[in-house]
Every structure is written in C-alpha cells, then in structure tokens.
Amino acid sequence: MSKTLIQFSNVGFSYGDRVALDSLSFEIREGELFCVVGPNGGGKSTTFKILSTLLKPRSGSVSFWGIDGVKHPEKVRPQLGVVFQSPALDKKLTIEENLVYHGKLYGLRGASLIQKVENLLKRFSLFDRKDERVEKLSGGLKRRVEIAKSLLSDPKLLILDEPTTGLDPVARREMWSYLDTLRKEQGISIVFTTHLMDEAESADRTLVLNHGKVVTSGTPTELKSQMGGDVISLRTTHPEALKEAIEKKFSVPVKKVDDELRIEKMEGARFIPTLVEAFPHQILSVTLGKPTLEDLFIHLTGQRFVGGEA
Ligand code: ADP
Ligand code: MG
C-alpha cells in the first residue's frame, strides 16, 4: 500500500455557530486521485480551504507528509498547487503573462522560468494561444490556464475545488484527460471536490460528505459493495400503501424517496415479475439498475443527492 500523504484527524470547523465540519477523519495516499463529493453545503469547500492551509481547523489536526500543517502552514504551502473554484487569473493579461508573473511570485527567474512556462503551455495545448488575453477565453480554457499556473511550483499535491463546475461536457472531458496525463507522467497526487456523483466514480478513492460529516469512503468498488444488490425503483399512485404491502408480503425493506419506492435486492431481475404479479394494479412503472454512488448516498442517508452550483 502506498504511503499516507495527508491525514485529517478529527477535524472540526465552524463559521460562528454553524458547524461546517464535524470531526472529520480521512487519509489521502501518495499518487492518488482522491475525490471529496457531497451535496451543496456538505463541507467540500471548507475541506478544500483547510487542505490548502487557507483555513485553520478549530479542532483536530492535519498532517501533510508528516508535517503538522496547522502549526507550520509555511512548510507545506510551497508543495501545494491550489486551484480555486472561481478563476484567480488576471483577465487583462495574456495567458503567458499570467504564468510568468505567477512564476516570479514563486521565485522563478530567467531562462528556467521561460522554459517552465513553455513546457506547461505545450502540455496544456495553450502554446498557440499564449498571447491571447485571459478575458477572451472560454471557461474550459481559463480552467486549463489556472491548472497550468498552479503547477509552476512543481507541487507534490494538486488541490482543486469543483474544477468542472460551469464547464460543458467537452471541456470537462478535456480537463480530466489533462489531469490524467499529469498523474501518469509525474505521479502527482490530486484531490478534487465535486457535487457530481459520476465524477467520483473515476477517482481512486472517494470521501462522501453530508452536513460536514463523513457518510462513507473508499474505492468505487468498495463503496458499491456496501449496497445489498440491485436497485429496483417503482412508481405508484400510493407509495405509502404499496411500501407497507410489499414489506409485509415479501419481508424486504422498501425505502420511500420522494414519490418513488426503492428496493435493494440480489438478483433483482428475478424478483420483478413476482412483484408485478403480486400488485398488478398498483405499480405504474418499474426500473432495475446496478447500484450507483447516488444509490449508495440514498441508502446511507435516506436522502436524495442534490448537488448545487455553489
Ligand atoms: P460545500 O462546498 O460542500 O457546498 P461549504 O464547505 O462551502 O460546503 O459549506 C459548509 C457549511 O458551512 C454550509 O452549511 C455553509 O452554509 C456554511 N458556510 C460556508 N461558508 C460560510 C461562511 N463564509 N459563513 C458562514 N457559513 C458558511
Ligand atoms: Mg463549495
């Protein structure tokens, strides 16, 4: 197993009286693509800010490769590449100028700076457009410039807050392919937050947050194995009554989520005909699916997963 890179131990944070993180513990390992997923208000951005050492937790500790990041943020900061949700680029400057000025902030100078900027521009397919002003760029391109910029300091860990929010599907795919290449070629570790459950499916490991608490964590396979089989969803005119009737007749737990009934069952396909024959008039529609992370969220919290653009 690879080494621990980041360790959150019982991290708590509140904005005034509002608890944003409640005793959060998890670890991120070296080389991992780690996802923090959760609904709007779940605590993702607060986790991101603590990870990037911008916020100090009110309680608990955060260790970065063995260094206490709460006591010594200055020791870990140079090794972090941070990409904020809203672009932190100078709009009036060109792509290249943004990178050069940022590099200077990090103490890079002369030929080595120029070389580094050129390499990054090429790596992110920005070289041909390096003289364009940032204000003219699409959201996807801006995000690419932002990521390129965050890599100037050769960070060990790249941290991104909702990197795909606001991007169209094409730009989203492109961004993931750049990040993938980066990991393969440089072995950099990446942590990203998202409110899209399907993005969590492509991470090595995922932490699911809700109301500032860990709902669950693990690899996508581990997470899905927490579900008891297939998911059968039913539509009916009287969900409460049908829920009771099914539970009584078949002794299976039925969850009512909004107006839908959901049953988790091994070999769900075999159960459907029996179910429909037993209640021919009450069932309006039936669907069968392999469990997704969204199903897991419902399974563990009893709530539908509603992401937001916040
Ligand atoms: P997410 O990024 O998952 O949407 P956040 O970490 O931004 O969640 O927020 C977690 C909780 O903290 C939410 O209840 C949110 O309303 C609250 N919160 C976030 N930022 C502030 C702030 N600056 N002042 C007060 N409450 C905040
Ligand atoms: Mg957020």
Side-chain angles (χ1 to χ4, degrees), residues 169-237:
V170 175
R172 258 178 76 181
R173 272 200 299 279
E174 267 176 14
M175 201 208 66
W176 283 121
S177 102
Y178 284 107
L179 290 179
D180 248 6
T181 314
L182 199 66
R183 290 179 65 215
K184 289 199 185 100
E185 289 176 2
Q186 294 192 354
I188 191 169
S189 311
I190 302 179
V191 184
F192 70 100
T193 70
T194 181
H195 63 266
L196 302 171
M197 274 291 190
D198 63 328
E199 290 194 333
E201 306 250 358
S202 56
D204 295 325
R205 286 191 316 123
T206 293
L207 175 77
V208 185
L209 287 183
N210 192 31
H211 300 307
K213 287 199 174 85
V214 178
V215 174
T216 185
S217 67
T219 65
T221 316
E222 282 167 358
L223 292 178
K224 284 183 201 166
S225 71
Q226 294 176 24
M227 299 271 303
D230 302 320
V231 178
I232 301 168
S233 309
L234 299 177
R235 291 246 164 224
T236 171
T237 43

Side-chain angles (χ1 to χ4, degrees), residues 40-41 43-46 85 161-162 193 310:
N40 199 4
K44 303 180 294 296
S45 291
T46 307
Q85 208 180 322
D161 196 17
E162 302 225 8
T193 70

